[in-house]
Amino acid sequence: MKRRQFLGALAAGTAASAVAMPAVAQSSPEIKWRMASSFPKSLDTLYGAGEMLVKQVAEMTDGRFQIQHFAAGEIVPGLQALDATSGGTVEMCHSVSYYYVGKDPTFAIAAAVPFGLNARQQAAWLFQNGGNEKFNEFYKKYNIFGFPVGNTGAQMGGFFRKEIKTPGDLQGLKMRIGGIAGQVLQKVGVVPQQLAGADVYPALEKGTIDAAEWVGPYDDEKLGLVKVAPYYYYPGFWEGGPMVHGYVNLDKWNELPKSYQAILLNAGHAATNYMITRYDALNPQGLRKILSQGGQLRPFSNDILDACLKATNELWAEISAKNAAFKTMIDDMQAFRNDEYFWWQVAEYNYDTYMIRSRTRG
């Protein structure tokens, strides 16, 4: 009798397991996506954050959710990654939203705009002050869902063939720079040029352009621009803390199980931390290499910064007058920025200032 009871219980348990297993399988389906990057593999930290994202997703799902990562140009050109995602050619992309200001200048604010937020402040605004939710409302018209996947930290102002000391020195200066930043600099006399990375060195060498900005010391040193443009200016006030994003086709995002959505977002956090910490670790050695090759560090003068800030505010007013979405987001960002620097000037600024002064003494 006991044997029959045991066998009956065993059969019932097996039946229950058979019923439960399909539910588990349904909640953790096998999914394979493709992700188009806007970055070449040579930019190993920018591209590497995408590698970190897909690795994390695969590991957190025991390989059930796999994303194949393609460098710029392997499926579509880097600047077409968003269109490929929106249209469903790929399920997602890894890109920077300011590449798409031609669609709507509001895109730029999600990444970085001149005299905007630094990296930590950009993260705080997006994650803690509703910025990401507001942008995803904006993104719906483009059939995408976005989330942070990296940040470079404050960038450099670029390499210049000659010194610039006053706003007058910017008149007619041909500079490789685009997007919103290019529009600001155009207001103070710069002639913006759109050039791919491979074309920057020969253009500087021949004098076709007078200056070029790229990223920061670690990436900049690889281009060798210091050999033809020795003056290395800072800061890149147009990119105080540019956020890199993952964009997912909205239909594909909505199809994901909630657990996979959470995993993808958390993988984005990991990739963001990877990118900014790696740049912080590698930029010092990149800067030393540039200086050892004849680079001369120069700060933008306050007169130049003031002129560019004035031009920036004028441009925001012009765009806001005809673009309600831009006005909403730029006003929100600037209010947050002003509040942040109310705090930043106390502990953060004074600690950093003291450490910079004391680094040669201890």
Side-chain angles (χ1 to χ4, degrees):
M1 190 67 185
K2 289 182 179 178
R3 181 172 178 274
R4 285 197 299 272
Q5 289 174 347
F6 172 77
L7 291 173
L10 181 62
T14 303
S17 298
V19 171
M21 285 176 65
V24 173
Q26 287 173 9
S27 65
S28 301
E30 290 191 3
I31 295 176
K32 292 185 178 181
W33 278 8
R34 298 191 303 170
M35 180 173 76
S37 178
S38 286
F39 315 112
K41 292 180 181 178
S42 58
L43 291 176
D44 57 288
T45 302
L46 277 161
Y47 183 82
E51 292 284 271
M52 172 65 73
L53 176 83
V54 302
K55 179 175 181 287
Q56 290 283 309
V57 168
E59 290 181 352
M60 286 191 279
T61 61
D62 291 326
R64 298 187 71 84
F65 186 6
Q66 296 190 19
I67 303 170
Q68 192 173 0
H69 188 197
F70 294 90
E74 290 185 338
I75 296 180
V76 293
L79 299 184
Q80 294 178 23
L82 189 82
D83 287 334
T85 302
S86 176
T89 302
V90 294
E91 288 80 8
M92 69 175 297
C93 67
H94 186 217
S95 191
V96 187
S97 61
Y98 55 46
Y99 290 160
Y100 309 106
V101 295
K103 299 179 183 297
D104 190 312
T106 310
F107 271 102
I109 309 170
V113 292
F115 302 102
L117 302 164
N118 68 25
R120 278 174 53 188
Q121 292 166 354
Q122 186 78 355
W125 179 50
L126 292 176
F127 290 126
Q128 302 296 332
N129 209 57
N132 212 48
E133 290 79 6
K134 292 170 186 173
F135 272 112
N136 274 310
E137 285 299 313
F138 167 75
Y139 295 147
K140 284 180 180 178
K141 66 188 287 190
Y142 298 96
N143 196 38
I144 54 173
F145 176 89
F147 60 100
V149 184
N151 196 305
T152 68
Q155 296 191 7
M156 292 293 284
F159 294 90
F160 290 70
R161 287 166 54 90
K162 63 180 182 179
E163 288 189 86
I164 55 166
K165 298 180 180 180
T166 69
D169 295 328
L170 297 173
Q171 294 297 318
L173 184 139
K174 299 183 293 293
M175 183 175 182
R176 186 266 179 199
I177 190 168
I180 288 281
Q183 293 177 44
V184 167
L185 289 176
Q186 191 170 23
K187 279 182 165 289
V188 293
V190 172
V191 182
Q193 307 285 309
Q194 292 273 19
L195 291 174
D199 299 326
V200 175
Y201 186 97
L204 270 174
E205 186 178 36
K206 296 174 184 176
T208 307
I209 60 174
D210 306 301
E213 60 85 33
W214 192 237
V215 183
Y218 176 66
D219 288 333
D220 290 359
E221 188 272 332
K222 297 175 186 177
L223 293 181
L225 303 184
V226 67
K227 298 172 186 175
V228 289
Y231 299 103
Y232 195 33
Y233 275 85
Y234 64 91
F237 55 83
W238 47 88
E239 294 189 80
M243 192 67 80
V244 184
H245 277 74
Y247 289 109
V248 180
N249 177 279
L250 188 58
D251 296 328
K252 292 296 181 181
W253 172 258
N254 290 331
E255 289 173 7
L256 282 180
K258 294 295 183 184
S259 59
Y260 280 14
Q261 290 181 350
I263 285 169
L264 197 53
L265 293 178
N266 277 281
H269 285 299
T272 299
N273 188 55
Y274 165 86
M275 184 187 291
I276 195 164
T277 56
R278 183 167 170 80
Y279 272 123
D280 281 346
L282 294 176
N283 276 332
Q285 69 186 50
L287 183 57
R288 289 191 182 95
K289 286 182 180 179
I290 289 169
L291 297 180
S292 73
Q293 295 164 17
Q296 299 182 48
L297 276 177
R298 294 288 188 274
F300 288 121
S301 69
N302 284 339
D303 286 345
I304 287 174
L305 292 174
D306 288 345
C308 291
L309 177 59
K310 181 176 181 290
T312 297
N313 291 333
E314 290 174 356
L315 183 62
W316 295 170
E318 292 167 8
I319 299 174
S320 294
K322 53 190 177 184
N323 188 319
F326 182 91
K327 177 173 173 50
T328 296
M329 297 308 294
I330 201 70
D331 287 351
D332 192 65
M333 183 278 289
Q334 288 182 308
F336 187 78
R337 178 199 63 190
N338 294 341
D339 205 33
E340 282 292 286
Y341 278 107
F342 167 70
W343 145 246
W344 214 266
Q345 67 185 338
V346 182
E348 295 284 352
Y349 173 79
N350 282 284
Y351 178 76
D352 289 344
T353 301
Y354 177 78
M355 293 306 297
I356 290 169
R357 288 200 313 265
S358 67
R359 60 182 286 269
T360 59
R361 300 200 303 264

